[in-house]
Amino acid sequence: MKVGRDKIAIGPKPSAYHHGDLRRALLASAEMVLAERGVEGFTLRECARRAGVSHAAPAHHFGDVTGLLTALAALGFETLIAAMQEARAGIEDPTERLRAIGRGYVAFARDYPERFQLTFDWHRLNHEDPALRAAGGAAFEELETAIRLVAGMPDEPLEGDLLADLVHTWSLVHGFSHLLLSGQLDHTGTGERVITDLLEGVIARVRVSAHSGARKRSDKGM
Amino acid sequence: MKVGRDKIAIGPKPSAYHHGDLRRALLASAEMVLAERGVEGFTLRECARRAGVSHAAPAHHFGDVTGLLTALAALGFETLIAAMQEARAGIEDPTERLRAIGRGYVAFARDYPERFQLTFDWHRLNHEDPALRAAGGAAFEELETAIRLVAGMPDEPLEGDLLADLVHTWSLVHGFSHLLLSGQLDHTGTGERVITDLLEGVIARVRVSAHSGARKRSDKGM
DNA sequence: TCCTGCATCTTGACATTGGCAAGAAAGGAG
DNA sequence: CTCCTTTCTTGCCAATGTCAAGATGCAGGA
């Protein structure tokens, strides 16, 4: 009976001691477990099993299950960013760019529902973790840049109405993705292609905000 | 011997057999556990403990943990509906009504974050459960009615652009609530009061949809 | 009255989990 | 070679969800 680690021919390391790259191997198996069993079915011991190490090995690299999930969530943010960047690749027109980014966001939720859920979970994640915060900020900036381009002000930071438009956009694509995954949109018979149409409203609003004072018109009731 | 509801005064508990209203008692303790320990920290045995019964008692009423959580999620939908109805109570103007409902939605997420998470979870819930489907449909109808009133067509079913506006509204308030709870909106410095402002964009759009053909203008690209 | 059927609840067991403590293995520094 | 640190293993613990078997109280029929 073969006991060797035959994951992807990990390398010339028959001994499990000093694996060499156990952290990365654990993250890889953790992504598999997450995709297969979901966030609820995720267990540390299963990750260790797939990495070919003992059940207590992950503790040394990630502390506890929260540490491993937090590292996974940070990777999830990076996957989300990659999905948005891939969707907008080669598109010059700012409006088309924003539409593509929205589609990329929803596509990420559709293709990696478990990672989407984990990434935006507010339990079991260490929100003080620098890597997680950095990844979340980078995802935020991807959207912010797109809005700035639509508004025609690529350099200045967003304020006032344009900041509200950014929050509007993010809430829209995020809520749409979440409702889609939770099956609630079945009530409406709405498919995921609709996100492009929904973004039209926000795009029109960004144009209005940009043309009418932009940075100052924030005295409506905030 | 009286078998009445003595949940609060635990005192007269001579026999745990034939509790009389164990299902309701378990739901009550389950809500407490959910609120205190969150969705992850939720355990069947803790619910049974607080209800004063053995660890296997819940199985007979809810089957497994999924059954209990599904029943809880249905109650969560009803709480959400109650929050929206309470927020719009006494408001006649359709636009103000929609704003109030949006605030009620976000307030529900803020006040009952665990229930919000559970209700829209797509794991561990039996989405075929009739009670859950009915509760979700009722919450959906609360929003649909509000949109119909803003559009000025309280009787006809929503189609085309107005249906898209409904999905837009729901996605917006839901995504905003979710991002708020997950702490991602900290990047923007945006508080929860902003939801009223965000709804302005949708309201304007509903008016446009209602005035320009309403039920026919769905040939944009859907 | 007694007795039998039945729904309800308890008890006990089992496999699995996360976390901790102690020990073993590998590799480097002196 | 010896010692020390890092890395991983082994063994253990309490807790969990689920199942099987038993205990308990109620209702209905003789």
Side-chain angles (χ1 to χ4, degrees), chain B residues 18-114:
Chain B
H18 297 76
H19 179 287
D21 206 0
L22 184 55
R23 182 187 168 88
R24 199 179 306 269
L26 280 174
L27 281 175
S29 46
E31 289 196 42
M32 287 176 47
V33 175
L34 183 69
E36 286 181 22
R37 319 223 174 164
V39 186
E40 337 295 337
F42 184 89
T43 65
L44 267 184
R45 287 170 113 103
E46 178 65 22
C47 297
R49 232 170 277 142
R50 303 209 186 188
V53 293
S54 78
H55 63 265
H60 199 277
H61 290 272
F62 299 97
D64 53 357
V65 64
T66 298
L68 179 50
L69 287 179
T70 300
L72 263 189
L75 288 180
F77 267 125
E78 293 176 12
T79 309
L80 169 61
I81 296 172
M84 292 190 284
Q85 289 177 342
E86 183 182 357
R88 70 164 165 81
I91 299 180
E92 296 293 335
D93 178 62
T95 303
E96 275 302 328
R97 214 177 122 104
L98 181 58
R99 289 193 193 101
I101 288 181
R103 283 193 301 266
Y105 198 106
V106 178
F108 167 74
R110 165 175 45 82
D111 294 339
Y112 307 97
E114 316 294 347

Side-chain angles (χ1 to χ4, degrees), chain A residues 135-172:
Chain A
F140 168 72
E141 280 180 16
E142 177 72 20
L143 261 181
E144 187 188 10
T145 302
I147 296 281
R148 276 210 302 253
L149 287 180
V150 173
M153 37 186 62
D155 299 322
E156 312 173 47
L158 293 181
E159 294 178 9
D161 278 10
L162 280 174
L163 183 60
D165 293 334
L166 169 58
V167 175
H168 190 136
T169 307
W170 199 4
S171 299
L172 176 64

Side-chain angles (χ1 to χ4, degrees), chain B:
Chain B
M1 176 180 319
K2 194 156 165 266
V3 203
R5 181 139 346 189
D6 41 16
K7 289 195 301 113
I8 302 171
I10 290 293
K13 203 199 66 171
S15 163
Y17 281 87
H18 297 76
H19 179 287
D21 206 0
L22 184 55
R23 182 187 168 88
R24 199 179 306 269
L26 280 174
L27 281 175
S29 46
E31 289 196 42
M32 287 176 47
V33 175
L34 183 69
E36 286 181 22
R37 319 223 174 164
V39 186
E40 337 295 337
F42 184 89
T43 65
L44 267 184
R45 287 170 113 103
E46 178 65 22
C47 297
R49 232 170 277 142
R50 303 209 186 188
V53 293
S54 78
H55 63 265
H60 199 277
H61 290 272
F62 299 97
D64 53 357
V65 64
T66 298
L68 179 50
L69 287 179
T70 300
L72 263 189
L75 288 180
F77 267 125
E78 293 176 12
T79 309
L80 169 61
I81 296 172
M84 292 190 284
Q85 289 177 342
E86 183 182 357
R88 70 164 165 81
I91 299 180
E92 296 293 335
D93 178 62
T95 303
E96 275 302 328
R97 214 177 122 104
L98 181 58
R99 289 193 193 101
I101 288 181
R103 283 193 301 266
Y105 198 106
V106 178
F108 167 74
R110 165 175 45 82
D111 294 339
Y112 307 97
E114 316 294 347
R115 227 180 297 190
F116 179 78
Q117 182 188 9
L118 173 65
T119 300
F120 291 97
D121 198 351
W122 60 91
H123 294 105
R124 305 206 289 192
L125 258 49
N126 178 19
H127 287 274
E128 313 302 320
D129 182 72
L132 182 63
R133 294 186 76 89
F140 168 71
E141 281 180 15
E142 177 72 21
L143 262 180
E144 187 188 11
T145 303
I147 296 281
R148 277 211 301 252
L149 289 179
V150 173
M153 38 185 64
D155 299 322
E156 312 173 46
L158 293 181
E159 293 178 9
D161 278 10
L162 280 174
L163 183 59
D165 293 334
L166 169 59
V167 175
H168 189 136
T169 307
W170 198 2
S171 299
L172 176 64
V173 290
H174 186 79
F176 184 80
S177 304
H178 198 253
L179 288 175
L180 206 61
L181 290 182
S182 69
Q184 293 301 324
L185 285 185
D186 298 348
H187 294 293
T188 69
T190 295
E192 63 190 64
R193 289 177 306 142
V194 188
I195 187 61
T196 307
D197 279 348
L198 295 187
L199 281 173
E200 295 310 308
V202 206
I203 289 169
R205 211 157 158 77
V206 169
R207 292 208 181 102
V208 170
S209 301
H211 282 130
S212 59
R215 314 177 45 185
K216 308 294 284 298
R217 265 189 60 234
S218 62
D219 46 328
K220 261 184 344 202
M222 266 183 74

Side-chain angles (χ1 to χ4, degrees), chain A residues 13 15 17-18 43-45 49 55-56 64-65:
Chain A
K13 277 289 185 154
S15 165
Y17 282 85
H18 298 77
T43 64
L44 266 183
R45 288 170 111 102
R49 230 169 280 143
H55 64 263
D64 53 357
V65 64

Side-chain angles (χ1 to χ4, degrees), chain A residues 125-143:
Chain A
L125 257 52
N126 178 19
H127 286 275
E128 314 303 320
D129 183 72
L132 182 62
R133 295 185 77 89
F140 168 72
E141 280 180 16
E142 177 72 20
L143 261 181

